């Protein structure tokens, strides 16, 4: 009886672990590729003068402005990232960027990280100029997770397990991905992607 209980608890724990955002070993089995593991910025280009710094398994910035941009271009994918920001932070995840030398919210899709944005329409969880988040989730002062799905013209944004955007927009089909530093304190870790 005791061994049956141990087996049941172990099976339940393993099933729960598999349902979360992937971690390195299991991620590779599920088709995920790690783009940033906390140890180096290999595979990324620095644009601008943000003071990006590695430490505690994350990359962070707290002054300047700019982006970390993938060297590779991506079309249809799921993108997973954890981020920590303070309340006044201005950041975002820019996907399918059309000009890797001039990343903007008008030539990429910007999945926003900006709780205190003056125009709350495209606050944290929204896609700037495209879709407002379906509800308000403040991200400041805690680790958060984004799961961003781009498949054809369908864009889906999930923040901390809650889907906030599901929109159809075909402006941009492929391009690099950029992590933004605009203001406040911004940290990123566990950055992964898998093709669709």
């Amino acid at each position: 009886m005791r061994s049956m209980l141990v087996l049941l608890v172990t099976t339940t724990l393993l099933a729960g672990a598999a349902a979360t955002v992937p971690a390195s070993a299991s991620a590779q089995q599920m088709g995920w590729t790690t783009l940033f593991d906390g140890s180096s910025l290999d595979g990324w280009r620095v644009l601008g003068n943000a003071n990006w710094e590695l430490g505690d398994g994350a990359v962070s910035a707290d002054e300047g402005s700019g982006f970390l941009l993938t060297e590779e271009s991506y079309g249809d994918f799921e993108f997973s990232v954890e981020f920590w920001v303070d309340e006044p932070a201005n950041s975002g995840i820019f996907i399918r960027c059309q000009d890797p030398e001039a990343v903007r919210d008008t030539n990429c899709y910007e999945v926003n990280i900006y709780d205190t944005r003056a125009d709350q329409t495209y606050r944290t969880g929204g896609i700037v100029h495209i879709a407002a988040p379906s509800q308000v989730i403040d991200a400041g002062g805690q680790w958060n997770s984004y799961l961003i799905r781009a498949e054809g013209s369908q864009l889906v944004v999930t923040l901390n397990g809650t889907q906030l955007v599901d929109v159809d927009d075909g402006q941009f089909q492929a391009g690099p991905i950029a992590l933004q530093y605009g203001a406040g304190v911004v940290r990123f870790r566990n950055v992964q992607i898998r093709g669709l």
Side-chain angles (χ1 to χ4, degrees), residues 46-52 63-67:
V46 176
L47 298 178
N49 65 355
N51 65 335
W52 297 109
E63 55 183 57
S65 65
F67 300 90

Side-chain angles (χ1 to χ4, degrees), residues 17-24 26-28 30 32 80 82 147 190 192 194:
T20 62
V21 174
S24 54
S26 62
Q28 291 176 344
M30 296 173 17
W32 290 89
S80 172
E82 294 178 357
L147 182 63
N190 297 329
Q192 300 176 328
R194 69 174 169 186

Side-chain angles (χ1 to χ4, degrees), residues 71-155:
E71 293 176 349
E72 300 293 322
S73 181
Y74 301 95
D76 291 348
F77 58 83
E78 282 187 312
F79 180 81
S80 172
V81 61
E82 294 178 357
F83 65 91
W84 187 99
V85 292
D86 62 1
E87 186 178 312
N90 178 4
S91 183
I93 312 297
F94 290 67
I95 64 171
R96 293 181 172 174
C97 295
Q98 301 303 289
D99 183 353
E101 301 305 318
V103 175
R104 294 186 301 276
D105 61 7
T106 54
N107 65 5
C108 309
Y109 294 113
E110 179 189 0
V111 179
N112 215 355
I113 303 171
Y114 196 2
D115 289 351
T116 59
R117 189 177 198 267
D119 173 5
Q120 287 282 292
T121 305
Y122 304 116
R123 68 177 328 275
T124 301
I127 303 175
V128 178
H129 308 304
I130 305 296
S134 61
Q135 58 185 286
V136 171
I137 298 177
D138 288 328
Q142 64 187 2
W143 280 103
N144 302 273
S145 63
Y146 258 148
L147 182 63
I148 301 167
R149 183 180 180 93
E151 186 171 17
S153 61
Q154 184 185 29
L155 307 170

